Amino acid sequence: MPTPVPMSATLAADAVLARRQRAGQRILPMASGEIGLPVLPELAARLAGAVRRTAYGPVTGSPELRSAAAGYWTRRGLATAPEQVVAGPGSKALLFALQLAIGGDVVVPVPGWVSYAAQTRLAGGSPLPVPVAPGRGGVPDPELLREAVVRARAAGRDPRAVVVTVPDNPTGTVAPAETVRHLGSVARELDLVIVSDEIYHDLVHDPASPPVSPARYAPERTVITSGLTKNLAVGGWRTGVARLPDGEPGRALHTALASVASQIWSSPPAPVQEAAAYALAEPPEVVARVEASRRLHATVARAVAARLTAADAVLAPVVATCYLYPDFEPRRDRLAALGVTGGESAAQWLLDRHGVGVLPARAFGEPGDPLRLRVATSRLYGTTDDERQAALDAADPLRLPWIDDALDHVGTAFAHLTAGI
């Protein structure tokens, strides 16, 4: 029998919101990480110009794309050769292929992105959930990780890897360097491969404080995945790149990953590879677009955070991405009067009463049904490309009427929730 897995919580929520919108309900979509921004014109031109590239090409990606990706990581302090890079149709596909190539069970952070545990099961392993320390999202607590892996191996299980997210989805926080260093030390002690999902690397709000990759502390055992889905908002183009370790273990993993890729996707889409190579080379217009996107994400996420804290949510400081992870446990007694007893019923209440779509903490692997939610702000920038471009260009996007209206909508919905109205 095939391994049963649920529909991705983010994609399932988007489908529900779309149905309600078609039925005439006013919807504020804050459930998925879709980045609502127009495509950079120069990037679109590269894709259009490559439309006649129809050959498969190399399984691991074109030489131009792998060279550009190597340069991208080298500029971030991680010297990389093109031979260390494998490209694929999205970082999500690469993450799954890596699980197939590595094998065994996988440590996953709690809370953690909705697909990590499901991909482990699809690959024939079992996820080993380990909690994240407060405010250190994306990286399982290293001491708890050690304890969990030792127990699992004593029970006959076979954990071989740990997946981390730097910066984090769902919490929008960034694990500090000391936590990442400690992770590297424990992974080396336990002989674990670290798979570091760094798709949000360029969306730390303060560019002077970039996130620290585990590859700095455990370079011989860290794989990094990234792509253009978040920093350049082209999720539908499906392109991703993985940086594998140098040295013999890295080369062996490269061979295994390329073999898996050859049996699943043959090669990344050729026209998209050309556009991705251009983007990863980071010409000035790409750098400027990413900087503008980062400023917009930071401005709107902080404004939404202010509405949530005004509604008595407990919230970690907003430092990265477009995600917030508010905790309403202190309001549990009051919310119970509304029939809201956990994150799932809170999300349903917000959708039914106010058309606000969010996800409960349970979707991110949290046990039970805690009163925490993942709130994504990346689709508040407008409903047309003209509005979204205006949001990117604005000195103060909060003054734009459609963004101001969305913020009022969010503030009212959460204020009514916690007031028991």
Side-chain angles (χ1 to χ4, degrees):
M1 289 287 291
T3 302
V5 295
M7 180 75 162
S8 163
T10 52
L11 299 183
D14 272 352
V16 169
L17 297 178
R19 285 197 298 270
R20 289 196 175 223
Q21 199 161 34
R22 288 194 297 270
Q25 183 179 3
R26 185 191 178 189
I27 294 296
L28 200 63
M30 305 182 76
S32 80
E34 178 83 36
I35 305 294
L37 292 173
V39 64
L40 180 68
E42 293 88 345
L43 189 61
R46 293 283 175 153
L47 182 70
V51 72
R52 289 182 175 81
R53 289 188 57 186
T54 57
Y56 286 118
V59 170
T60 57
S62 71
E64 295 81 9
L65 174 54
R66 289 185 287 110
S67 178
Y72 170 90
W73 278 304
T74 298
R75 288 190 294 277
R76 284 154 180 78
L78 299 172
T80 306
E83 293 73 26
Q84 292 173 250
V85 177
V86 174
S91 63
K92 189 173 186 177
L94 282 167
L95 285 163
F96 178 52
L98 280 162
Q99 295 215 24
L100 291 169
I102 295 167
D105 300 332
V106 179
V107 177
V108 297
V110 177
W113 180 53
V114 299
S115 291
Y116 293 144
Q119 287 189 347
T120 301
R121 295 187 184 97
L122 281 170
S126 296
L128 186 62
V130 174
V132 170
R136 302 184 177 213
V139 175
D141 182 290
E143 288 302 315
L144 296 180
L145 184 154
R146 178 191 282 114
E147 294 171 9
V149 170
V150 169
R151 282 197 308 270
R153 288 176 174 167
R157 294 179 60 181
D158 185 24
R160 300 184 194 176
V162 53
V163 179
V164 302
T165 317
V166 185
D168 184 41
N169 171 14
T171 67
T173 59
V174 179
E178 177 56 27
T179 297
V180 178
R181 184 204 62 75
H182 195 179
L183 169 76
S185 176
V186 171
R188 184 174 292 117
E189 171 192 331
L190 299 171
D191 193 23
L192 294 174
V193 176
I194 302 172
V195 179
S196 186
D197 180 353
E198 300 185 13
I199 193 74
Y200 297 98
H201 183 281
D202 295 335
L203 296 184
V204 171
H205 298 168
D206 180 3
S209 301
V212 178
S213 173
R216 290 192 181 275
Y217 299 108
E220 81 288 354
R221 63 185 58 252
T222 299
V223 181
I224 300 173
T225 62
S226 190
L228 309 182
T229 298
K230 305 304 179 182
N231 63 354
L232 286 170
V234 289
W237 289 12
R238 307 314 303 144
T239 182
V241 286
R243 177 192 185 272
L244 278 70
D246 198 6
E248 188 52 41
R251 285 190 285 273
L253 180 55
H254 185 287
T255 298
L257 179 59
S259 296
V260 170
S262 75
Q263 300 291 358
I264 298 178
W265 61 74
S266 299
S267 71
V272 176
Q273 288 190 73
E274 185 155 319
Y278 154 79
L280 289 168
E282 298 184 292
E285 59 272 17
V286 167
V287 172
R289 167 56 68 89
V290 173
E291 288 177 351
S293 301
R294 183 170 55 236
R295 287 194 301 269
L296 177 60
H297 294 321
T299 300
V300 175
R302 289 168 184 161
V304 172
R307 269 65 173 183
L308 295 175
T309 53
D312 294 332
V314 177
L315 192 64
V318 182
V319 297
T321 77
C322 49
Y323 299 127
L324 308 171
Y325 203 67
D327 186 347
F328 295 96
E329 286 290 344
R331 284 287 184 172
R332 179 173 284 278
D333 291 344
R334 183 184 292 272
L335 293 177
L338 296 176
V340 173
T341 58
E344 291 203 349
S345 52
Q348 193 65 51
W349 189 94
L350 288 164
L351 179 58
D352 291 341
R353 298 294 185 92
H354 292 276
V356 174
V358 297
L359 286 177
R362 181 183 285 180
F364 300 93
E366 292 222 50
D369 188 18
L371 266 166
R372 288 185 282 279
L373 302 168
R374 204 287 299 272
V375 178
T377 64
S378 55
R379 292 170 70 180
L380 303 186
Y381 308 143
T383 57
T384 67
D385 274 353
D386 285 345
E387 287 183 350
R388 295 164 185 150
Q389 188 64 51
L392 271 174
D393 296 339
D396 183 4
L398 304 184
R399 296 175 65 89
L400 296 172
W402 56 91
I403 293 181
D404 180 60
D405 180 62
L407 293 173
D408 283 346
H409 190 157
V410 172
T412 298
F414 280 96
H416 285 186
L417 174 69
T418 56
I421 296 175

